Amino acid sequence: TLKDGLLEFKVVDKAGNSISLNWDKGLALFKSFPKDPKRDNFPVMEIKDSDRVIIMFKGKGFGGPIWAMLLIDQKTDEILKIKFGHKAETDGYGAEIVRASFQDQFIGKTLKGSAITFGLDQNRTESIKDIYLIDGISGATVTSAAVVQMLNNGFMRLRLKSE
């Protein structure tokens, strides 16, 4: 079973420290993470005997909490899969972060060094400049910027202890 050693749970704190968790605590953290507004550490699930890891980040969108679940290849630092979620973004605007057309922009991107990785092109204006320019959602400037900032902040915390 998965509980018998195929997965290893960790949590990354504000300082970038990685702390191992047992199965029950790790699974509980993954389940509660998006719903807990006070939690500022984030869960990591390593798939043993592989270079793949699942990470969750959280931020604040226009209408409330937003979060991301990413599958990353640790060997290449490539984003293999990404899913966004939200609690109260506006339908037809910020809620569009869950659409494949928005999420697919992040897939295949490689995390670069210690620099911020994602920038934002909102209505043909680069409001956040960086390596990978993401096309923001029309009418959802705050949510689009919050997604980019959430990912950049999360990746920066991961890099704190790895450099």
Side-chain angles (χ1 to χ4, degrees):
T1 67
L2 291 175
K3 195 171 184 176
D4 293 330
L6 292 176
L7 301 174
E8 182 179 347
F9 289 100
K10 295 182 178 180
V11 64
V12 176
D13 67 15
K14 278 179 121 174
N17 297 307
S18 179
I19 303 157
S20 291
L21 299 174
N22 68 32
W23 175 268
D24 293 329
K25 286 184 180 181
L27 194 57
L29 177 60
F30 259 88
K31 288 180 178 179
S32 69
F33 181 73
K35 301 171 193 156
D36 187 348
K38 295 177 185 152
R39 186 170 300 283
D40 60 0
N41 51 13
F42 57 85
V44 176
M45 184 187 324
E46 292 183 349
I47 303 168
K48 289 186 178 181
D49 300 323
S50 107
D51 294 321
R52 296 185 174 188
V53 62
I54 298 170
I55 300 172
M56 287 184 77
F57 296 141
K58 184 168 44 177
K60 185 173 180 346
F62 179 77
I66 59 172
W67 54 89
M69 184 180 296
L70 301 96
L71 176 64
I72 297 175
D73 184 316
Q74 292 185 97
K75 193 173 190 177
T76 63
D77 285 335
E78 179 183 355
I79 297 172
L80 303 172
K81 185 97 172 143
I82 191 166
K83 290 287 182 190
F84 294 113
H86 65 91
K87 183 171 181 168
E89 297 305 294
T90 308
D91 285 339
Y93 296 98
E96 300 295 305
I97 64 173
V98 301
R99 301 191 107 204
S101 58
F102 182 71
Q103 295 178 47
D104 288 351
Q105 297 181 82
F106 299 89
I107 296 173
K109 302 299 188 275
T110 303
L111 312 175
K112 306 283 187 182
S114 62
I116 292 173
T117 301
F118 296 105
L120 180 64
D121 181 353
Q122 190 73 33
N123 301 320
R124 297 191 177 123
T125 303
E126 289 183 43
S127 60
I128 302 173
K129 299 178 185 285
D130 221 300
I131 297 168
Y132 297 122
L133 207 53
I134 299 302
D135 187 20
I137 300 164
S138 182
T141 304
V142 172
T143 304
S144 298
V147 165
V148 167
Q149 199 62 47
M150 168 183 62
L151 293 176
N152 290 340
N153 288 343
F155 292 133
M156 186 60 70
R157 280 178 52 191
L158 284 176
R159 291 181 189 112
L160 286 175
K161 294 297 177 182
S162 64
E163 295 181 339

